[in-house]
């Protein structure tokens, strides 16, 4: 088995999860210009809801992911409606800072309810691996990648083909004009938060599925680990973050193989900073053009 | 301003100062007698290793509550002050300063990560206050090992590797997290393996926040080892064991951090039979033990709401309980509010055994690792542990 070929398999599975994590950030950023760090809290809530449904309700993992996504979407919409809609008039920067605080609140609530000990998931997916061109492809990697891609496709379809999605696109393209034409910014933002909440819950759930563990620290940390992927794609490019996630996961594994683990974090953030230097809006983001 | 106004002002100011002096004395008096000792907890109570930090907090609380209940009205009670170092070296140093200078702690416990322990070492040495760390990489006269010292596992690792693989010179894959202690352990293990005629076919590090284990797992699969020596988070053990198994690798895994990761160890699927948890401090503590010291330990934990189980009794909780016992023995000889070189000297003479809980726990001026043995168990059927061997711990 070639280590490099196996790394490609792992990069696809990890990159798809990074992409899904990033899509939630991008959806909210497009609709509200706010970088919402609450996504890490929603991933945590989603992962633990997923765990509870599997272990307490004894439902299958697919149903557990769907219920978790629906529950966190509702929670996310409520959070926007009752908290952030009230502070939306303030600077986006201040709101972003407030989202960090809210993520901390969710972490604290999860710690009170479930403790700080990582919980092991029961084996809900076969541990069998398929061998393809000398590469082991675990069943769980296939399932998590397919779920991530389906989630991603559904998100893009909602944005492209539904009225609420088109309203979100309108606000993202030109918010004052969209509002002038009768689009409710509050409703659009609430819908964006709900969609982002759902993606976070799915990402948290499949990350747990893939690692066999629901880890409070690891799950909320995933949002930060995936952040360079979002910068790589561009903050407002929902479609681009999937590619950003795949590239970023590939770079991480490449660096590990060539230079070792100690260079992975350094290389990731150097890549992010270098890109910001030459292309601040990322590969697929919309550059802010100013007419002089 | 007239004299009368000035005198009235002075009286009001004096009353305010007296009030200010009186209020804290009342509030501190309500929780702490005048001559109470203060112990500090400077640990990772949040972040990726918070599980271990909170275990330290629980074990120390249990010991202190039980001890305070036994000292009577005239004895010196102990207060605990806990600060979260957030898995950050700079915060660990700040906390250590605050605990010693502000809270007047005469001993501190915690620091799961060796890097955090190292960051606080300079402070504790400057103020001459003993500090117990879960992970110690660089020995210091003021720093005491609180838990399993992976650096002493090398000979046990090699002996156990030969035993569980059934080979006299097995091919070993080493996988450790990138902490100072573990990096040193991996390096020492490579040297010792070469000297013993064993071969280390893969030597890799993991980040604490790693999200993808594909490459380390692929490297191990490609190296075709006879046995894997692993020191990592419990969550990483679960993920990597599963990924290795699905790649067809089911060679024995010696898990050096067995005792401190019991929640994940005992939650491995019951079909897993290739994991060998290692215990570098106490042997496995059973909830149904009839040993009087174990029973006293369980009673103390129950006092702070812990339900006895394999998970709750083993690991950092037990390690810090023993550390606190050692500190309290030295403290009792040293006297009220004693710290500094006298306390250090007494700690360095500490030696005790507590039945089935621990044997030959001892500090000396040149060795602050109190544990002398490594216990290697074979995990089967979920929670069944069979002792494979007991090995001498060596620096």
């Amino acid at each position: 088995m070639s280590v490099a070929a196996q790394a490609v398999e792992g990069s696809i599975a990890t990159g798809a999860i990074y992409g899904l994590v990033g899509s939630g950030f991008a959806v909210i950023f497009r609709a509200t210009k706010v970088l919402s760090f609450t996504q890490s809290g929603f991933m945590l809530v989603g992962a633990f809801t997923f765990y509870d449904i599997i272990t307490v309700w004894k439902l299958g993992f697919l149903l557990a992911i769907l219920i978790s996504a629906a529950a966190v979407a509702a929670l996310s919409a409520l959070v926007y409606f009752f908290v952030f809609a009230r502070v939306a008039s303030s600077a986006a920067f201040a709101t972003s800072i407030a989202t960090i605080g809210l993520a901390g609140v969710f972490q604290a609530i999860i710690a009170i309810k479930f403790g700080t000990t990582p919980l092991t998931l029961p084996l809900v997916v076969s541990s069998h691996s398929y061998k393809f061109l000398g590469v082991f492809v675990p069943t769980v990697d296939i399932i998590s990648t397919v779920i991530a891609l389906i989630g991603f496709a559904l998100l893009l379809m909602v944005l492209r083909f539904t009225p609420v999605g088109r309203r979100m696109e309108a606000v993202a393209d030109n918010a004052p004009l969209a509002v002038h034409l009768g689009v409710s910014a509050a409703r659009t933002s609430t819908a964006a938060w709900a969609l982002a909440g759902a993606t976070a819950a799915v990402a948290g759930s499949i990350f747990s599925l893939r690692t066999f563990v629901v880890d409070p620290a690891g799950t909320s940390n995933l949002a930060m680990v995936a952040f360079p992927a979002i910068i790589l794609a561009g903050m407002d490019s929902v479609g681009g973050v999937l590619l950003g996630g795949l590239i970023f996961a590939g770079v991480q594994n490449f660096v590990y193989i060539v230079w070792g683990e100690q260079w992975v974090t350094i290389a990731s953030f150097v890549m992010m900073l270098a890109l910001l230097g030459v292309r601040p809006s990322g590969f697929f983001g919309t550059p802010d053009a100013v007419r002089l | 301003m007239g004299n009368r106004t000035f005198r009235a002002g002075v009286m009001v100011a004096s009353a305010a100062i007296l009030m200010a002096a009186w209020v804290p004395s009342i509030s501190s008096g309500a929780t702490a007698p005048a001559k109470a000792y203060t112990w500090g907890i400077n640990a990772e109570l949040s972040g990726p290793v918070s599980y271990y930090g909170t275990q330290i907090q629980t074990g120390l609380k249990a010991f202190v509550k039980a001890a305070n209940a036994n000292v009577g009205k005239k004895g010196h009670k102990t207060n605990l002050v806990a600060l979260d170092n957030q898995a950050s070296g700079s915060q660990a140093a700040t906390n250590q300063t605050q605990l010693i200078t502000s809270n007047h702690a005469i001993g501190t416990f915690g620091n799961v990560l060796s890097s955090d322990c190292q960051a606080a070492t300079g402070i504790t040495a400057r103020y001459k206050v003993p500090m117990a760390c879960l992970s110690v990489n660089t020995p210091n006269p003021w720093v005491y090992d609180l838990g399993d010292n992976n650096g002493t596992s090398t000979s046990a690792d090699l002996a156990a590797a030969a035993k569980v693989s059934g080979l006299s010179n097995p091919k070993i894959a080493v996988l450790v997290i990138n902490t100072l202690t573990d990096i040193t352990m991996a390096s020492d293990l490579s040297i010792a393996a070469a000297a013993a005629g064993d071969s280390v076919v893969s030597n890799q590090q993991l980040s604490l926040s790693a999200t993808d284990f594909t490459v380390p797992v692929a490297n191990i699969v490609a190296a075709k080892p006879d046995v894997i020596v692993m020191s990592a988070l419990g969550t990483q053990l679960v993920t990597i064991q599963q990924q290795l198994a699905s790649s067809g690798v089911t060679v024995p895994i010696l898990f050096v951090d067995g005792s401190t990761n019991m929640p994940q160890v005992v939650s491995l699927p019951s079909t897993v039979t290739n994991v060998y948890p290692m215990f570098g401090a106490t042997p496995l503590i059973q909830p149904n033990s009839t040993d009087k010291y174990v029973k006293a330990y369980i009673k103390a934990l129950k006092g702070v709401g812990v339900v006895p189980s394999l998970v709750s009794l083993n690991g950092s909780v037990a390690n810090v309980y023993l550390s606190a016992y050692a500190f309290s023995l030295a403290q009792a000889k040293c006297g009220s509010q004693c710290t500094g070189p006298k306390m250090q000297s007494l700690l360095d003479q500490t030696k005790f055994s507590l039945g089935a809980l621990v044997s030959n726990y001892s500090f000396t001026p040149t060795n602050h690792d109190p544990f002398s043995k490594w216990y290697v168990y074979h995990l089967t059927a979920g929670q069944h542990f069979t002792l494979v061997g007991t090995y001498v711990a060596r620096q």
Side-chain angles (χ1 to χ4, degrees):
Chain A
M1 181 196 63
S2 155
V3 173
Q6 192 66 55
V8 171
E9 183 277 327
S11 301
I12 292 170
T14 308
I17 297 175
Y18 285 167
L20 197 60
V21 172
S23 66
F25 278 94
V27 166
I28 292 181
F29 189 78
R30 277 179 73 84
T32 64
K33 300 298 173 210
V34 167
L35 187 55
S36 173
F37 292 98
T38 314
Q39 286 299 99
S40 64
F42 289 138
M43 282 173 59
L44 199 57
V45 174
F48 276 92
T49 307
F50 172 72
Y51 175 84
D52 239 12
I53 293 169
I54 282 180
T55 55
V56 180
W57 298 7
K58 310 285 184 198
L59 296 180
F61 72 91
L62 283 175
L63 205 52
I65 290 173
L66 285 174
I67 295 171
S68 169
V72 177
L75 174 68
S76 182
L78 288 172
V79 162
Y80 177 77
F81 189 77
F82 286 109
V83 181
F84 290 105
R86 306 294 191 262
V87 294
S89 57
S90 64
F93 171 73
T95 311
S96 288
I97 298 297
T99 63
I100 297 174
L102 192 64
V105 169
F106 282 127
Q107 284 175 22
I109 291 170
I110 291 292
I112 290 166
K113 167 110 174 65
F114 294 94
T116 53
T117 311
L119 304 169
T120 306
L121 271 176
L123 275 182
V124 289
V125 174
S126 163
S127 55
H128 177 72
S129 276
Y130 298 92
K131 205 161 182 186
F132 180 70
L133 298 175
V135 173
F136 289 102
V137 185
T139 308
V140 72
D141 279 9
I142 297 171
I143 289 173
S144 65
T145 306
V146 168
I147 291 173
L149 294 177
I150 289 174
F152 209 81
L154 285 174
L155 180 65
L156 288 177
M157 283 167 69
V158 168
L159 292 177
R160 292 269 165 83
F161 303 118
T162 65
V164 70
R166 282 198 289 269
R167 282 196 288 272
M168 273 193 250
E169 294 294 289
V171 170
D173 283 345
N174 191 332
L177 182 61
V179 171
H180 184 70
L181 292 174
V183 175
S184 165
R187 278 187 203 161
T188 307
S189 299
T190 307
W193 273 70
L195 281 174
T199 59
V202 175
S205 302
I206 59 175
F207 178 66
S208 304
L209 198 63
R210 190 165 179 247
T211 54
F212 308 96
V213 173
V214 185
D215 178 7
T219 308
S220 53
N221 189 43
L222 179 65
M224 291 301 107
V225 174
F227 210 74
I230 305 161
I231 299 292
L232 198 68
M235 290 300 305
D236 60 350
S237 173
V238 179
V241 288
L242 179 61
L243 197 55
L246 293 170
I247 293 171
F248 178 60
V251 168
Q252 282 188 315
N253 280 334
F254 173 78
V255 171
Y256 189 110
I257 292 171
V258 178
W259 290 299
E261 182 281 328
Q262 60 272 38
W263 291 97
V264 171
T265 306
I266 296 169
S268 304
F269 284 91
V270 164
M271 182 179 76
M272 187 179 87
L273 290 172
L275 184 75
L276 282 173
V278 296
R279 198 174 166 87
S281 53
F283 284 129
F284 310 104
T286 313
D288 283 334
V290 179
R291 190 186 295 274
L292 295 172
Chain B
M1 185 165 60
N3 275 349
R4 184 171 292 183
T5 314
F6 175 74
R7 277 200 300 272
V10 168
M11 284 174 69
V12 169
S14 304
I17 290 166
L18 281 171
M19 283 292 284
W22 180 69
V23 170
S25 72
I26 287 292
S27 62
S28 62
T31 54
K35 289 182 180 176
Y37 305 137
T38 296
W39 279 353
I41 300 174
N42 180 8
E44 291 78 347
L45 304 177
S46 63
V49 292
S50 60
Y51 166 69
Y52 311 98
T54 50
Q55 291 283 291
I56 288 172
Q57 193 174 21
T58 302
L60 210 49
K61 268 185 187 174
F63 180 87
V64 166
K65 189 172 181 188
N68 281 348
N70 289 331
V71 294
K73 284 184 180 173
K74 290 183 180 176
H76 297 286
K77 298 211 176 209
T78 305
N79 290 328
L80 271 182
V81 179
L83 298 178
D84 179 10
N85 68 26
Q86 300 161 21
S88 148
S90 60
Q91 191 61 47
T94 306
N95 287 357
Q96 196 67 14
T97 308
Q98 182 181 327
L99 286 170
I100 295 170
T101 60
S102 237
N103 302 107
H104 306 292
I106 55 172
T108 70
F109 304 81
N111 292 319
V112 174
L113 300 177
S114 43
S115 53
D116 294 338
C117 180
Q118 192 133 327
T121 295
I123 310 292
T124 218
R126 187 189 313 156
Y127 290 101
K128 302 188 189 314
V129 172
M131 169 174 78
C133 291
L134 187 64
S135 301
V136 182
N137 183 57
T138 311
N140 182 285
W142 296 95
V143 180
Y144 294 80
D145 258 312
L146 186 156
D148 316 23
N149 181 349
N150 289 357
T152 67
S153 74
T154 310
S155 57
D157 296 336
L158 293 179
K163 183 157 187 179
V164 299
S165 68
L167 300 165
S168 52
N169 292 110
K171 289 182 286 176
I172 302 171
V174 181
L175 184 61
V176 299
I177 44 176
N178 59 357
T179 62
L180 295 172
T181 315
D182 273 3
I183 292 169
T184 307
M185 172 203 142
S187 169
D188 291 349
L189 189 57
S190 290
I191 295 165
D198 299 344
S199 53
V200 173
V201 291
S202 166
N203 194 338
Q204 301 180 85
Q205 292 173 22
L206 290 172
S207 161
L208 282 169
S209 58
T211 53
D212 186 5
F213 303 102
T214 311
V215 176
V217 166
N219 281 331
I220 291 173
V221 174
K224 295 187 173 70
D226 298 313
V227 61
I228 299 164
V229 177
M230 181 174 174
S231 172
L233 300 179
T235 51
Q236 295 174 334
L237 167 74
V238 173
T239 309
I240 289 168
Q241 191 279 332
Q242 291 286 330
Q243 290 189 358
L244 283 167
S246 71
S247 302
V249 176
T250 53
V251 298
I253 299 174
L254 287 169
F255 187 51
V256 182
D257 294 314
S259 67
T260 45
N261 290 287
M262 284 296 276
Q264 287 77 45
V265 168
V266 300
S267 66
L268 283 164
S270 56
T271 50
V272 172
T273 56
N274 67 326
V275 172
Y276 294 78
M278 295 175 65
F279 287 52
T282 67
L284 183 77
I285 302 168
Q286 299 277 6
N288 57 0
S289 171
T290 52
D291 180 86
K292 69 174 180 176
Y293 294 103
V294 174
K295 282 166 105 174
Y297 165 64
I298 292 175
K299 188 181 171 191
L301 283 177
K302 280 182 176 172
V304 290
V306 173
V307 179
S309 69
L310 281 176
V311 170
S312 65
L313 297 181
N314 287 283
S316 305
V317 173
N319 298 347
V320 78
Y321 182 89
L322 295 172
S323 228
Y325 185 82
F327 271 58
S328 69
L329 284 182
Q331 201 72 58
K333 290 178 191 166
C334 199
S336 173
Q337 306 303 324
C338 165
T339 187
K342 188 179 174 191
M343 174 70 177
Q344 180 197 42
S345 166
L346 288 163
L347 262 176
D348 287 348
Q349 296 166 40
T350 299
K351 189 173 183 178
F352 62 85
S353 291
L354 295 178
L357 207 51
V358 72
S359 60
N360 301 322
Y361 187 107
S362 70
F363 293 124
T364 69
T366 55
N367 183 12
H368 284 183
D369 174 13
F371 302 107
S372 55
K373 288 175 186 166
W374 278 91
Y375 305 88
V376 181
Y377 293 88
H378 185 200
L379 177 73
T380 49
Q383 299 201 359
H384 185 71
F385 290 80
T386 310
L387 186 66
V388 170
T390 304
Y391 304 93
V392 175
R394 289 211 183 97
Q395 288 286 359

